C-alpha cells in the first residue's frame, strides 16, 4: 500500500528566481524506510516541507502537481493542497534539523502532552501515549526536566517523542542529526530504525551521513537541482559511485574503499557494508 504519492511536483518559493523542486515524482510504501540524499541546495528540505503540507499551505509560492497522503488506518486519502497542516500532521510527523527550534515547553512531559491537549484528547489517552513515547524514546525519568538542559541527542529524541505522541503513520526527518555529536547521532538514528522495524512506522529521512542510509534505508532517492536524479535500493547505488561523487554526495567509507579495491581488481564488486566486505575478502581467522 502506498502511503505517499508525489506526482509531478514543482515548487518555487515566493520571490525566488528558480524552482526548488522540478517535476518530482515518487511513492512511499507503508512500512518502508526511504532515504533522501543529494548535495546542498538540491531541494531535500523543501521536499520534506511539502510532505506534511507546510508547503504550499503555510509557506506559499508557486506549487504544481499533487501529493496524496493515505492514512493506512482508515484508508482515507488527503491531497496536501486541500488539507490543513494540523490534520495532515496526525498522519505525517515532521522532525527538523535543530531540536531546539522544535521545543518550547517548560518540561519534557509538557512538551509531549502539548500537541495532545490541542487535539482535545482525554486525560487517560494523553497519559497512555505519554507513557508509551517516554518508554520507546528512552526519556523515562526525565519527565520534569527543562528541555534546554538535555543533551542534543535527548532533545532530538524529545522532538521525536512529541511528534510520535500524535501517532503518525509516517515520520519525515530532515537531517535530524546534523547538530549532534556521534553519540547523539547513534541514539537518534537507532531510535528511528527501531520505530521503523519494530513499530512499522514509515520513515522518510534526509541524512548526509550516508553510512546510516546504506544501513537502514530500503530505498534511496538522490536529488540534484530540484530533481530526482537516481532512485533505487542502497545496493543499486553501488553501480553509481562515480555519478554520486560527481554530485558531491559523501559515500560511506566502506563503499569508497571497496569501490577503489574493485577498480584495482582486488575485489569482485563494491559493497555497501563492512559485513559484505568481510564476506567477500574472507573473515580473518583468529
Ligand atoms: N525560504 C526560501 N526562500 C527562497 N528560496 C529558498 C528558501 N529555502 C530554500 N530555498 C532555495 O531552494 C533551493 C533548495 O533548498 P533546500 O533547502 O530545499 O536544499 P537542501 O537540499 O535541503 O540543502 P541542504 O543540504 O543545504 O540542507 C536552494 O536553492 C535554496 O536556496
Ligand atoms: Mg536541507
Amino acid at each position: 500500500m502506498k502511503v505517499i504519492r508525489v506526482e509531478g511536483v514543482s515548487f518555487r518559493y515566493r520571490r525566488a528566481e528558480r524552482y526548488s523542486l522540478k517535476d518530482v515524482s515518487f511513492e512511499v510504501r507503508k512500512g518502508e524506510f526511504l532515504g533522501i540524499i543529494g548535495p546542498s541546495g538540491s531541494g531535500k528540505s523543501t521536499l520534506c516541507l511539502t510532505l506534511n503540507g507546510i508547503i504550499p499551505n503555510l509557506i506559499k509560492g508557486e506549487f504544481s502537481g499533487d501529493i496524496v497522503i493515505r492514512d493506512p488506518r482508515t484508508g482515507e486519502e488527503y491531497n496536501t493542497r486541500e488539507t490543513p497542516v494540523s490534520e495532515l500532521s496526525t498522519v505525517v510527523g515532521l522532525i527538523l534539523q535543530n531540536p531546539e527550534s522544535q521545543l518550547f515547553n517548560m518540561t519534557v512531559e509538557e512538551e509531549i502532552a502539548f500537541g495532545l491537549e490541542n487535539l482535545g484528547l482525554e486525560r487517560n489517552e494523553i497519559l497512555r501515549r505519554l507513557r508509551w513515547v517516554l518508554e520507546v524514546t528512552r526519556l523515562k525519568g526525565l519527565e520534569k526536566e527543562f528541555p534546554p538542559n538535555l543533551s542534543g541527542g535527548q532533545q532530538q529524541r524529545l522532538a521525536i517523542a512529541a511528534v510520535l505522541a500524535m501517532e503518525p503513520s509516517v515520520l519525515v526527518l530532515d537531517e535530524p542529526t546534523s547538530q549532534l555529536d556521534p553519540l547523539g547521532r547513534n541514539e537518534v538514528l537507532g531510535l528511528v530504525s527501531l520505530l521503523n522495524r519494530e513499530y512499522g512506522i514509515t520513515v522518510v529521512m534526509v541524512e548526509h551521513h550516508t553510512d546510516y542510509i546504506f544501513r537502514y534505508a530500503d530505498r534511496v532517492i538522490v536529488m540534484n537541482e530540484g530533481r530526482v536524479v537516481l532512485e533505487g535500493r542502497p545496493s543499486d547505488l553501488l553501480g553509481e559511485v562515480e555519478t554520486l561523487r560527481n554530485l558531491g554526495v559523501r559515500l560511506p567509507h566502506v563503499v569508497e574503499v571497496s569501490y577503489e579495491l574493485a577498480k584495482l581488481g582486488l575485489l569482485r564488486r563494491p559493497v555497501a557494508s563492512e559485513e559484505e566486505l568481510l564476506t567477500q575478502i574472507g573473515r580473518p581467522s583468529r
Side-chain angles (χ1 to χ4, degrees):
M1 184 206 284
K2 315 280 188 266
V3 286
I4 300 179
R5 290 203 319 269
V6 178
E7 296 168 349
V9 167
S10 297
F11 180 70
R12 183 158 66 93
Y13 287 96
R14 259 191 194 158
R15 284 187 291 275
E17 271 178 30
R18 293 200 211 133
Y19 275 79
S20 296
L21 296 176
K22 298 171 191 159
D23 196 20
V24 172
S25 298
F26 64 91
E27 295 177 331
V28 188
R29 289 185 290 273
K30 183 175 183 297
E32 191 170 31
F33 192 131
L34 178 73
I36 301 179
I37 60 178
S40 183
S42 58
K44 306 180 300 294
S45 296
T46 305
L47 180 60
C48 288
L49 293 173
T50 64
L51 297 179
N52 76 341
I54 290 183
I55 291 175
N57 296 309
L58 303 178
I59 299 178
K60 297 189 194 291
E62 238 169 90
F63 181 94
S64 56
D66 288 290
I67 299 187
V68 180
I69 307 294
R70 187 187 171 107
D71 185 341
R73 294 162 293 203
T74 60
E76 199 137 350
E77 292 196 339
Y78 305 90
N79 189 311
T80 58
R81 267 197 284 192
E82 295 151 5
T83 319
V85 173
S86 56
E87 202 173 330
L88 286 170
S89 63
T90 63
V91 187
V92 180
L94 180 64
I95 312 285
L96 304 172
Q97 275 184 336
N98 185 347
E100 287 156 46
S101 69
Q102 306 170 75
L103 305 176
F104 42 82
N105 284 278
M106 294 305 287
T107 67
V108 164
E109 190 168 71
E110 284 169 25
E111 193 67 60
I112 298 168
F114 181 80
L116 302 178
E117 281 157 9
N118 281 351
L119 282 185
L121 295 178
E122 282 177 24
R123 186 159 172 75
N124 274 345
E125 178 62 12
I126 292 181
L127 289 176
R128 182 188 71 77
R129 293 192 188 190
L130 193 62
R131 269 196 305 274
W132 178 68
V133 300
L134 284 168
E135 179 86 40
V136 64
T137 58
R138 297 194 299 109
L139 291 171
K140 232 162 101 178
L142 299 174
E143 291 86 338
K144 306 290 178 204
E145 289 290 324
F146 182 46
N149 289 345
L150 302 177
S151 72
Q154 288 171 331
Q155 288 188 21
Q156 193 58 295
R157 281 189 280 136
L158 175 56
I160 294 175
V163 166
L164 211 53
M166 312 290 277
E167 301 196 333
S169 303
V170 184
L171 276 186
V172 176
L173 305 106
D174 183 10
E175 297 202 41
T177 72
S178 63
Q179 315 278 326
L180 307 182
D181 58 21
L183 184 70
R185 186 178 311 135
N186 273 331
E187 281 174 22
V188 167
L189 295 178
L191 169 62
V192 173
S193 169
L194 176 85
L195 292 171
N196 176 248
R197 279 180 291 117
E198 302 288 324
Y199 296 91
I201 293 179
T202 307
V203 171
V204 177
M205 184 170 82
V206 177
E207 178 60 62
H208 75 269
H209 293 97
T210 48
D211 40 340
Y212 291 93
I213 295 288
F214 273 77
R215 192 180 316 159
Y216 297 135
D218 300 308
R219 202 153 52 87
V220 185
I221 279 180
V222 184
M223 300 211 43
N224 190 40
E225 295 183 348
R227 295 182 192 277
V228 175
V229 291
L230 283 176
E231 183 180 343
R233 288 167 300 170
S235 56
D236 299 331
L237 296 185
L238 296 174
E240 306 284 351
V241 170
E242 290 292 344
T243 313
L244 291 166
R245 277 183 181 171
N246 289 337
L247 291 177
V249 171
R250 255 200 297 165
L251 292 165
H253 288 307
V254 66
V255 172
E256 292 283 359
V257 168
S258 64
Y259 179 75
E260 293 303 327
L261 289 175
K263 255 196 344 201
L264 293 170
L266 296 171
L267 208 63
R268 257 176 291 136
R269 50 179 171 77
V271 295
S273 70
E274 275 140 33
E275 270 302 301
E276 269 182 87
L277 184 62
L278 289 175
T279 311
Q280 269 208 47
I281 61 178
R283 221 167 267 277
S285 52
R286 296 199 176 196

